[in-house]
């Protein structure tokens, strides 16, 4: 399959260009009751991944902040094993589908690789350079599509650099990631992509075992600790599976988040200007972008025993869709939740999940987004939508972002290089 075809199929599957604004309907439903039967996709006459993967399961969707947060935090009743059927089947067993105590052990092995301190090193060593070079490629034009020219590829270049893999392989990463996460593509095509990607990574893993470097793959092969069960470490298959998880987990999410944030700022020029004038608002802007338009709408859990959500009984074996998109707009927590406002008082949102499985790449994602936004503010003066942006919107259901962000701007020199 050609790269364009793969990407187009993935976007179509996730409702791009089909579902524009699902929030009014979801808000109306949430106001009636925090828990509804059926998948959230079925409310829009769409067939989502959950419908394909669990056609015979009893399905419910949780639409309130408290309900979604409580289920994320409660590993005793809400299992992550449903990821086995989706991601796990293709990429191998990884942390995302594990329950305690296995999950805790893996989390301990992995989290040292992605600490805030390590992210400061990555930022200086390669992230700023990658973002800068990506902007260099279009800055002279004074016009760009901030999706295709900027946001789409830089997170993968960053992952490649973090893993010590060549940037020239990024096109293959994108293709593999898009195929692996689209359950509407035939299992044969997905298995073929998983195998190709696995073989590619196996070479790098073997190399790092014999010749360690200061990269993420080396960190993973060397990670270990001891507990009552003895020495804990990751074998090659576990490292490869985790690396295969990183691409979809880290690339799609970060790129769509950046696009949504830029869309929010470009369509609210007063807030973009406020950010230019007061860089201390950057962190709040990133969190507000994630709250207002998270890149992924929902996450799954399966009940392992009879449970309750918001006082509503949920039978064992139910497939639970935790719809973070609408939980992030719960009017009991945020005033005018549908409004993008970077000056809101800080409040935790659920775009990164919550509880024991909370996004492992949270510091990584925040750093990448901050660096990208800082460079946009530093280098693209007078940034505004071009006329072709008229009518453009953030679209999609399972995954959401705008298809294009056509802009005009005045190139400015990066800080420190102006004469
Ligand atoms: C803005 C970007 C991102 C968003 C919105 C996001 C969102 C999430 C969410 C909601 C979860 C929890 C899933 C669940 O509980 O079912 C998660 C887990 C995870 N994320 Fe992210 N993510 C982002 C970026 C990244 C990056 C850059 C990495 C790279 C390392 C990453 C790696 C992971 C991993 C490994 C897990 C599984 C953690 C576990 O199961 O304990 N994510 N992410």
């Amino acid at each position: 399959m050609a790269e364009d075809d793969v990407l187009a199929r993935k976007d179509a599957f996730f409702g791009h260009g089909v579902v524009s604004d699902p929030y009014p309907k979801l808000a109306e439903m949430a106001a009636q009751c925090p828990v509804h039967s059926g998948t959230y996709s079925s409310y829009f006459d769409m067939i989502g991944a959950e419908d394909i993967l669990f056609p015979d399961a009893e399905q419910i969707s949780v639409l309130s902040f408290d309900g979604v947060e409580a289920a994320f935090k409660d590993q005793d009743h809400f299992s992550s094993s449903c990821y086995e059927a989706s991601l796990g089947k293709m990429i191998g067993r990884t942390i995302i589908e594990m329950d305690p105590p296995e999950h805790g052990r893996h989390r301990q092995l992995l989290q040292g690789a992605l600490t805030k301190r390590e992210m400061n090193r990555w930022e200086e060593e390669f992230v700023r350079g990658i973002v800068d070079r990506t902007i260099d490629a279009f800055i002279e034009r004074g016009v760009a599509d901030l999706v295709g020219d900027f946001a789409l590829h830089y997170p993968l270049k960053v992952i490649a650099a973090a893993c010590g893999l060549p940037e020239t392989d990024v096109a293959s990463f994108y293709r593999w990631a898009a195929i692996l996460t689209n359950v509407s593509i035939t299992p044969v095509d997905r298995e073929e992509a998983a195998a190709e990607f696995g073989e590619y990574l196996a070479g790098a893993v073997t190399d790092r075992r014999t010749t360690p470097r200061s990269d993420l793959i080396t960190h993973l092969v060397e990670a270990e600790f001891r507990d009552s069960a003895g020495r804990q470490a990751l074998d090659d298959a576990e490292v490869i599976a985790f690396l295969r998880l990183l691409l979809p987990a880290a690339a799609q999410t970060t790129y769509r988040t950046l696009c949504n944030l830029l869309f929010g700022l470009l369509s609210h020029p007063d807030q973009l200007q406020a950010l230019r004038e007061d860089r201390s608002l950057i962190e709040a802007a990133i969190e507000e972008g994630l709250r207002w338009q998270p890149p992924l709408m929902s996450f799954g859990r399966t009940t392992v025993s009879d449970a309750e959500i918001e006082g509503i009984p949920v039978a064992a074996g139910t497939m639970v869709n935790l719809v973070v998109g609408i939980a992030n707009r719960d009017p009991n927590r945020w005033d005018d939740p549908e409004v993008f406002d970077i000056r809101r008082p800080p409040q935790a949102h659920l775009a990164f999940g919550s509880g024991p499985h909370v996004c492992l790449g949270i510091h990584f994602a925040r750093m990448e987004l901050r660096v990208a936004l800082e460079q946009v503010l530093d280098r693209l003066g007078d940034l505004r939508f071009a006329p072709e942006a008229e009518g453009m919107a953030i679209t999609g259901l399972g995954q959401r972002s705008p298809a294009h962000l056509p802009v005009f701007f005045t190139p400015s020199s990066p800080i420190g290089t102006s004469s």
Side-chain angles (χ1 to χ4, degrees):
M1 252 182 285
E3 185 186 355
D4 287 354
D5 187 30
V6 170
L7 299 183
R9 281 183 64 173
K10 180 170 166 67
D11 279 355
F13 177 64
F14 284 110
H16 286 271
V18 180
V19 178
S20 180
D21 187 358
Y23 287 116
K25 178 163 192 176
L26 289 172
E28 204 183 302
M29 293 179 72
Q32 286 158 9
C33 183
V35 180
H36 287 254
S37 63
T39 63
Y40 67 98
S41 305
S42 69
Y43 311 152
F44 298 88
D45 298 324
M46 302 258 318
I47 296 172
E50 309 71 27
D51 301 292
I52 295 175
L53 293 166
F54 309 102
D56 302 323
E58 185 69 34
Q59 302 248 9
I60 61 166
S61 296
V62 185
L63 309 181
S64 66
F65 182 92
D66 288 348
V68 170
E69 188 188 41
F72 268 134
K73 288 185 165 167
D74 179 359
Q75 281 183 303
D76 291 340
H77 294 94
F78 298 91
S79 161
S80 295
S81 58
C82 50
Y83 284 110
E84 279 168 23
S86 50
L87 277 171
K89 215 165 164 190
M90 292 298 148
I91 65 176
R93 187 161 181 79
T94 63
I95 184 166
I96 201 156
E97 69 193 60
M98 294 175 185
D99 291 324
E102 188 188 17
H103 175 257
R105 282 201 298 272
H106 272 252
R107 185 99 189 177
Q108 203 171 330
L109 282 169
L110 296 169
Q111 63 198 7
L114 297 161
T115 56
K116 257 190 181 167
R117 199 163 147 218
E118 191 65 355
M119 292 311 110
N120 290 339
R121 183 172 77 82
W122 289 10
E123 176 176 347
E124 291 315 315
E125 278 184 15
F126 52 84
V127 179
R128 284 196 172 274
I130 289 172
V131 173
D132 244 337
R133 285 197 300 281
T134 310
I135 295 180
D136 286 345
F138 65 81
I139 191 163
E140 293 306 325
R141 300 204 306 258
V143 32
D145 169 10
L146 289 183
V147 177
D149 289 322
F150 183 52
L152 185 58
H153 292 298
Y154 96 87
L156 275 176
K157 291 183 193 164
V158 169
I159 287 279
C163 291
L165 299 168
E167 196 172 302
T168 42
D169 294 345
V170 159
S172 306
F173 295 171
Y174 204 87
R175 184 172 164 276
W176 285 324
I179 295 178
L180 290 176
T181 52
N182 185 348
V183 298
S184 73
I185 287 177
T186 65
V188 175
D189 281 341
R190 295 173 70 210
E191 276 158 26
E192 198 181 283
E196 261 179 42
F197 192 17
E199 260 172 54
Y200 170 87
L201 292 168
V205 170
T206 309
D207 174 69
R208 300 313 188 274
R209 287 218 188 267
T210 48
T211 323
R213 303 192 200 169
S214 64
D215 62 19
L216 178 62
I217 301 182
T218 306
H219 196 114
L220 297 173
V221 300
E222 289 184 345
E224 64 169 16
F225 68 90
R226 285 191 175 276
D227 63 8
S228 53
R231 177 178 176 269
Q232 305 289 334
L234 299 167
D235 63 26
D236 283 5
E238 288 168 329
V239 173
I240 290 169
F242 181 71
L243 292 170
R244 275 198 292 224
L245 170 68
L246 271 197
L247 287 199
Q252 287 288 325
T253 48
T254 310
Y255 121 72
R256 293 194 196 279
T257 300
L258 180 61
C259 293
N260 293 349
L261 173 58
L262 290 170
F263 183 91
L265 291 169
L266 286 158
S267 47
H268 297 83
D270 55 319
Q271 297 191 47
L272 179 56
Q273 187 54 30
L275 206 54
R276 280 196 190 285
E277 287 164 13
D278 180 1
R279 297 295 178 92
S280 71
L281 288 170
I282 283 185
E283 279 175 26
I286 291 170
E287 298 310 312
E288 175 62 358
L290 279 158
R291 180 202 70 81
W292 177 63
Q293 294 281 359
L296 307 183
M297 178 60 89
S298 180
F299 297 86
R301 292 292 188 268
T302 317
T303 43
V304 285
S305 52
D306 289 349
E308 267 194 8
I309 298 179
E310 296 258 36
I312 297 164
V314 183
T318 303
M319 176 66 213
V320 182
N321 296 269
L322 302 175
V323 190
V324 299
I326 193 63
N328 272 359
R329 294 180 176 216
D330 190 325
N332 293 320
R333 194 170 170 87
W334 289 280
D335 294 334
D336 304 321
E338 69 291 352
V339 174
F340 173 76
D341 178 4
I342 65 173
R343 292 198 189 80
R344 280 180 190 280
Q347 286 245 60
H349 57 75
L350 295 169
F352 287 117
S354 182
H357 281 274
V358 71
C359 179
L360 190 68
I362 196 165
H363 302 309
F364 183 14
R366 284 179 170 149
M367 178 271 286
E368 277 189 288
L369 292 163
R370 176 176 50 73
V371 172
L373 195 53
E374 283 171 0
Q375 310 277 82
V376 163
L377 295 174
D378 281 348
R379 302 194 62 194
L380 311 183
D382 192 21
L383 184 67
R384 62 209 184 276
F385 270 137
E388 309 89 276
E390 180 74 39
M392 262 174 203
I394 295 172
T395 76
L397 186 58
Q399 300 192 355
R400 290 178 54 73
S401 58
H404 301 282
L405 286 172
V407 292
F408 289 152
F409 55 87
T410 310
S412 33
S413 308
I415 283 176
T417 62
S418 53
S419 51

